[in-house]
């Protein structure tokens, strides 16, 4: 092991050489003949020096002055000083005031010196290790575990007071680090910490929860957090940093700090994509939502086994015939305790967990059953569109699975349409192109869902093997709002150029139906014609439509 270094500052050459003799076996010794020389050596070697042995009375610059100068530089703080004095409490007191750590008496007793030096160095080093474990070097805040400990202590000790937990998170941390590098990031997080601290001067403890998340425990004062956490973005050293705050007010004293911080983080995560909103409180609404998400995750498998999911069918109106031209299968969940849960809520959760592929398979099978039932009931058969999630396209055998299902129920492949949302395309374009190609080769129709919902890329349109384009309902909403259907019109024109049929979704009024019909869309799906219907209701709809068709009525 490399020897630790001791700086001996002593004007008497005999003393210096005797000190060197007793310490040299264990330490590297550097010598200074007075305080000035000592300060120079300190500047050159302070990162290596484990201890300074300092004489008081020396020419040019004495020990007092040496201590005074040393105290001016905080970078020397970690180097302890043992002062050699001839005794006298006044001198010792002055030295202590100036930052000395220990004393040895003159004339030197070398056994004592060696022991004092060894002890002090060992003590210092263990203190530094504890220090490093406790404090985060970049921000000066507690490290995570110590922060949680500090929070726990505070909450335990002052049960009568209320506290809020604040989380500050740099959302785009990875890209900042990538773009600006480690050094600039470190400088940023340091100045960011200072800035956030300035917003909560009454903060009791602060900690670095991970590289880009800071946590703070603050007394509850009922302050307006939106205002209190108005960070001056211009003053950030990386001005494109995306900062969000999450707050839990009046934390439960019995809740583990880790948990309350994670609640604050989950509040923050709800505003990550929201422009102009930078503070989120963990409130009852969010709490309910989290509970519901948890219920959804815990009960999805059972729900499928217990047939809690049912499939509804929403008719698509064929503009050219004036009658039903198809239907979309939409899943519904009636939970035994929670009641109806919207697919808008559970589908994203199923997509995250991968469960969606199981559910979709179930919906496809139900859709096949329904086609067969309609046939058996003597009802006109219309094609049923089923939704395929992004994850279904990752399956190695989506087309064969669908074909096997259809064949099992004797359903003509042309009676099944597959709807793919545009987000699926952006993940793995080639896989999606190949799969759609295989589906078409097997005789299934392919539809691009939600076109114009924000993810649309025109490139996808002529590379994907498609039959139908479904215009997202937001396009109709916007057109009605602006009383301007030009975008709907040019989108339909574009589809026509590419030889695609068009479905306009979300048509709710007679006026909207009239406008999109005039523009030339092929199918309309929306509340104006029908909401998604239960199986029986759907069959009734088909029956009525069939009767009016045979009477020659045209509802277009
Ligand atoms: P989507 O595929 O775009 O389905 C259309 C959604 O619009 C349906 O909502 C439908 O009920 C609703 N809708 C239809 N007409 C109108 C209208 O005139 N006005 C308004 N405001 N809404 C209308 P739903 O059933 O809540 O489904 C939401 C989304 O959940 C679907 O959007 C789809 O992405 C997903 N989803 C539903 N069922 C399934 C499924 O079985 N598998 C997969 N993977 N996703 C599904
Ligand atoms: Ca759809
Ligand atoms: Ca859609």
């Amino acid at each position: 092991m490399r020897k630790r270094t001791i700086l001996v500052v002593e004007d008497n050459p005999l003393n210096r050489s005797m000190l060197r003799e007793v310490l040299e076996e264990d330490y590297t010794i550097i010598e200074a003949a007075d305080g000035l020389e000592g300060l120079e050596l300190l500047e050159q070697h302070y990162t290596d020096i484990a201890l300074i042995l300092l004489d008081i009375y020396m020419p040019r610059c004495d020990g007092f002055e040496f201590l005074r100068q040393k105290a001016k530089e905080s970078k020397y703080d970690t180097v302890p000083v043992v002062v050699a004095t001839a005794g006298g409490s006044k001198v010792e007191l002055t030295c202590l005031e100036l930052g000395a750590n220990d004393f040895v008496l003159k004339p030197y007793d070398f056994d004592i010196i060696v022991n004092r030096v060894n002890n002090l160095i060992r003590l210092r080093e263990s203190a530094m290790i504890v220090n490093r474990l406790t404090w985060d070097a970049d921000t000066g805040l507690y490290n995570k575990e110590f922060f949680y400990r500090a929070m726990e202590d505070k909450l335990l000790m002052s049960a009568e007071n209320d506290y809020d937990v604040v989380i500050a998170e740099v959302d785009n941390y990875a890209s900042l680090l990538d773009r600006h590098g480690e050094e600039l990031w470190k400088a940023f997080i340091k100045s960011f910490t200072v800035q956030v601290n300035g917003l909560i001067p009454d903060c009791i403890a602060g900690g670095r929860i991970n590289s880009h998340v800071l946590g703070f425990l603050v007394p509850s004062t009922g302050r307006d957090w939106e205002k209190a956490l108005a960070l001056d973005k211009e003053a950030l050293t990386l001005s494109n940093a995306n900062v969000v705050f999450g707050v839990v007010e009046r934390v439960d004293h019995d809740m583990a700090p880790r948990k309350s911080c994670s609640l604050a983080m989950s509040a923050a995560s709800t505003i990550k994509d929201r422009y102009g909103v930078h503070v989120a409180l963990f409130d009852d609404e969010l709490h309910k939502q989290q509970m519901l998400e948890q219920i959804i995750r815990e009960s999805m498998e059972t729900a499928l086994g217990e047939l809690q999911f049912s499939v509804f069918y929403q008719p698509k109106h064929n503009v050219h015939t004036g009658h039903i031209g198809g239907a979309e299968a939409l899943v519904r969940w009636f939970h035994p305790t929670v009641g109806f849960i919207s697919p808008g809520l559970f589908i994203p959760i199923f997509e995250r967990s991968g469960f969606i592929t199981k559910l979709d398979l179930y919906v496809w099978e139900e859709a096949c059953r329904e086609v067969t039932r309609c046939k058996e009931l003597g009802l006109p058969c219309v094609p049923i569109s089923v939704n395929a999630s992004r994850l279904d396209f990752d399956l190695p055998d989506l087309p064969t699975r669908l074909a096997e299902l259809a064949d099992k129920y004797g359903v003509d492949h042309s009676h099944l349409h597959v709807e793919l949302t545009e987000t699926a395309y952006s993940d793995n374009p080639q896989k999606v192109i190949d799969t759609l190609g295989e589906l078409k080769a097997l005789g299934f129709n392919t539809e691009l869902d939600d076109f114009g919902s924000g993810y649309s890329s025109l490139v996808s349109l002529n590379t994907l093997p498609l039959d139908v384009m479904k215009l997202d309902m937001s396009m109709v909403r916007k057109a009605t709002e602006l009383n301007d259907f030009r975008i709907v019109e040019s989108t339909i024109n574009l589809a026509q150029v590419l030889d695609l049929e068009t479905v306009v979704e979300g048509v709710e009024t007679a006026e909207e139906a009239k406008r999109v019909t005039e523009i030339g869309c092929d199918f309309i799906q929306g509340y104006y014609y029908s909401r998604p219907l239960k199986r029986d209701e759907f069959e009734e709809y088909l029956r009525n439509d069939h009767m009016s068709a045979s009477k020659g009525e045209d509802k277009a």
Side-chain angles (χ1 to χ4, degrees):
M1 206 173 91
R2 207 168 126 244
K3 284 183 183 175
R4 296 171 181 80
T5 302
I6 293 178
L7 168 62
V8 176
V9 189
E10 156 75 78
D11 61 331
N12 183 332
L14 191 64
N15 280 347
R16 287 207 304 270
S17 71
M18 286 197 299
L19 286 168
R20 173 182 287 278
E21 205 166 292
V22 291
L23 293 167
E24 206 164 34
E25 195 178 328
D26 296 323
Y27 301 97
T28 302
I29 308 296
I30 49 179
E31 296 176 25
D34 58 43
L36 271 188
E37 228 178 88
L39 285 168
E40 275 162 30
L41 287 175
L42 178 61
E43 173 58 23
Q44 287 165 29
H45 302 285
Y46 72 94
T47 49
D48 293 331
I49 295 173
L51 182 133
I52 300 168
L53 255 174
L54 179 69
D55 186 19
I56 285 294
Y57 299 107
M58 295 177 290
R60 295 212 298 165
C61 162
D62 64 12
F64 298 124
E65 186 55 23
F66 178 92
L67 286 171
R68 241 175 251 123
Q69 295 302 325
K70 176 179 177 286
K72 284 186 185 164
E73 291 281 353
S74 63
K75 63 185 180 190
Y76 300 149
D77 285 355
T78 49
V79 187
V81 182
V82 176
V83 175
T85 71
S89 57
K90 183 128 188 301
V91 174
E92 289 193 1
L93 190 65
T94 313
C95 288
L96 280 175
E97 280 168 2
L98 291 172
N101 303 80
D102 204 352
F103 301 93
V104 286
L105 279 178
K106 272 190 158 181
Y108 291 128
D109 175 330
F110 292 107
D111 276 347
I112 288 189
I113 288 186
V114 171
N115 276 304
R116 287 258 158 102
V117 163
N118 288 344
N119 286 345
L120 196 57
I121 287 177
R122 224 175 289 134
L123 200 72
R124 236 332 125 106
E125 285 181 348
S126 17
M128 273 162 67
I129 291 170
V130 171
N131 213 38
R132 227 173 291 143
L133 288 174
T134 313
W135 303 101
D136 171 56
D138 298 338
T139 61
L141 300 176
Y142 278 120
N143 279 324
K144 182 170 74 180
E145 295 306 328
F146 283 84
F147 174 56
Y148 290 155
R149 181 94 57 84
M151 274 181 73
E152 199 163 51
D153 289 349
K154 190 73 205 171
L155 290 167
L156 266 178
M157 282 185 326
S158 33
E160 67 288 356
N161 296 323
D162 283 332
Y163 297 94
D164 299 351
V165 168
V166 178
I167 286 293
E169 178 169 352
V170 184
D171 177 27
N172 55 342
Y173 148 76
S175 75
L176 289 178
L177 190 64
D178 217 36
R179 199 152 4 130
H180 302 288
E182 184 84 23
E183 281 311 303
L184 279 183
W185 166 257
K186 275 191 177 176
F188 165 78
I189 198 78
K190 188 173 181 176
S191 70
F192 175 61
T193 308
V194 173
Q195 236 188 308
V196 176
N197 258 319
L199 301 174
I200 36 175
D202 53 343
C203 156
I204 288 162
R208 186 165 189 184
I209 292 178
N210 61 40
S211 40
H212 62 298
V213 182
L214 312 177
F216 302 90
L217 185 71
V218 189
S220 304
T221 56
R223 71 195 93 191
D224 176 347
W225 278 113
E226 186 76 29
K227 277 201 191 124
L229 296 172
L231 194 72
D232 179 9
K233 280 211 76 177
E234 301 297 311
L236 293 174
T237 60
L238 297 178
S239 58
N240 51 348
N242 215 352
V243 177
V244 285
F245 292 97
V247 180
V248 181
E249 291 182 305
R250 290 178 301 283
V251 283
D252 182 349
H253 283 248
D254 296 328
M255 185 183 282
R258 186 184 299 279
K259 172 84 181 164
S260 47
C261 288
S262 111
L263 295 183
M265 279 191 264
S266 69
S269 72
T270 61
I271 52 166
K272 280 181 184 168
D273 305 322
R274 298 214 353 234
Y275 180 77
V277 186
H278 69 289
V279 181
L281 298 192
F282 186 86
D283 55 12
D284 284 352
E285 196 49 43
L286 193 58
H287 183 60
K288 269 193 224 141
Q289 196 183 319
Q290 283 199 343
M291 300 286 283
L292 183 59
E293 281 202 28
Q294 194 178 345
I295 293 175
I296 288 174
R297 269 193 302 272
E298 284 168 4
S299 56
M300 56 194 187
E301 293 276 357
T302 336
L304 192 57
E306 291 179 356
L307 305 180
Q308 290 170 19
F309 293 105
S310 60
V311 178
F312 278 41
Y313 300 89
Q314 184 176 32
K316 282 182 197 172
H317 176 82
N318 181 331
V319 171
H320 306 295
T321 63
H323 292 280
I324 184 171
E328 177 176 5
L330 292 160
V331 72
R332 297 288 175 261
W333 187 2
F334 297 93
H335 192 280
T337 53
V338 180
F340 176 75
I341 310 177
S342 156
L345 207 69
F346 63 77
I347 300 277
I349 298 173
F350 290 1
E351 285 183 333
R352 282 201 294 276
S353 68
F355 181 69
I356 190 67
T357 54
K358 278 194 194 171
L359 180 72
D360 278 344
L361 208 60
Y362 171 78
V363 172
W364 301 342
E365 181 151 13
E366 280 297 293
C368 290
R369 281 205 188 99
E370 186 55 23
V371 174
T372 316
R373 250 179 75 91
C374 288
K375 229 191 292 175
E376 284 166 6
L377 291 170
L379 292 168
C381 261
V382 293
I384 307 275
S385 303
V386 294
N387 288 287
S389 134
R390 188 171 50 80
L391 271 81
D392 298 321
F393 277 80
D394 289 338
L395 296 172
D397 52 354
L398 168 68
T400 34
R401 277 198 199 198
L402 210 57
E404 276 167 16
L405 262 184
D407 298 345
K408 177 174 160 193
Y409 290 92
V411 171
D412 193 298
H413 293 191
S414 67
H415 278 104
L416 272 190
H417 292 196
V418 180
E419 293 192 7
L420 145 102
T421 67
E422 268 229 301
T423 43
Y425 171 77
S426 52
D427 279 1
N428 186 352
Q430 197 50 50
K431 181 84 198 320
V432 172
I433 292 171
D434 294 347
T435 309
L436 285 175
E438 285 170 47
L439 283 168
K440 269 176 72 81
L442 285 165
F444 298 107
N445 259 35
T446 55
E447 306 188 9
L448 185 63
D449 203 356
D450 304 332
F451 186 81
S453 62
Y455 295 99
S456 308
S457 88
L458 292 174
V459 184
S460 60
L461 274 184
N462 56 0
T463 46
L464 289 173
L466 290 169
D467 298 300
V468 178
M469 179 208 281
K470 286 186 88 171
L471 279 72
D472 190 65
M473 64 180 91
S474 60
M475 287 180 97
V476 177
R477 284 290 90 70
K478 198 78 201 165
T480 298
E481 190 188 311
L482 302 172
N483 191 24
D484 183 351
F485 277 69
R486 278 180 300 175
I487 294 190
V488 177
E489 185 170 10
S490 38
T491 310
I492 288 176
N493 289 342
L494 174 69
Q496 286 165 346
V497 169
L498 294 165
D499 218 9
L500 300 174
E501 286 192 306
T502 49
V503 181
V504 176
E505 275 192 292
V507 169
E508 293 182 351
T509 63
E511 173 64 14
E512 286 168 356
K514 184 166 156 282
R515 298 287 290 264
V516 299
T517 303
E518 283 164 4
I519 286 169
C521 83
D522 300 305
F523 297 89
I524 299 176
Q525 183 183 341
Y527 294 169
Y528 175 62
Y529 286 102
S530 174
R531 290 184 173 260
L533 302 171
K534 273 190 220 158
R535 196 180 71 182
D536 299 348
E537 293 170 344
F538 174 62
E539 288 160 7
E540 187 61 27
Y541 187 98
L542 279 174
R543 202 168 288 121
N544 291 338
D545 186 80
H546 182 55
M547 278 184 339
S548 70
S550 39
K551 281 192 211 143
E553 290 171 20
D554 185 344
K555 294 194 294 182

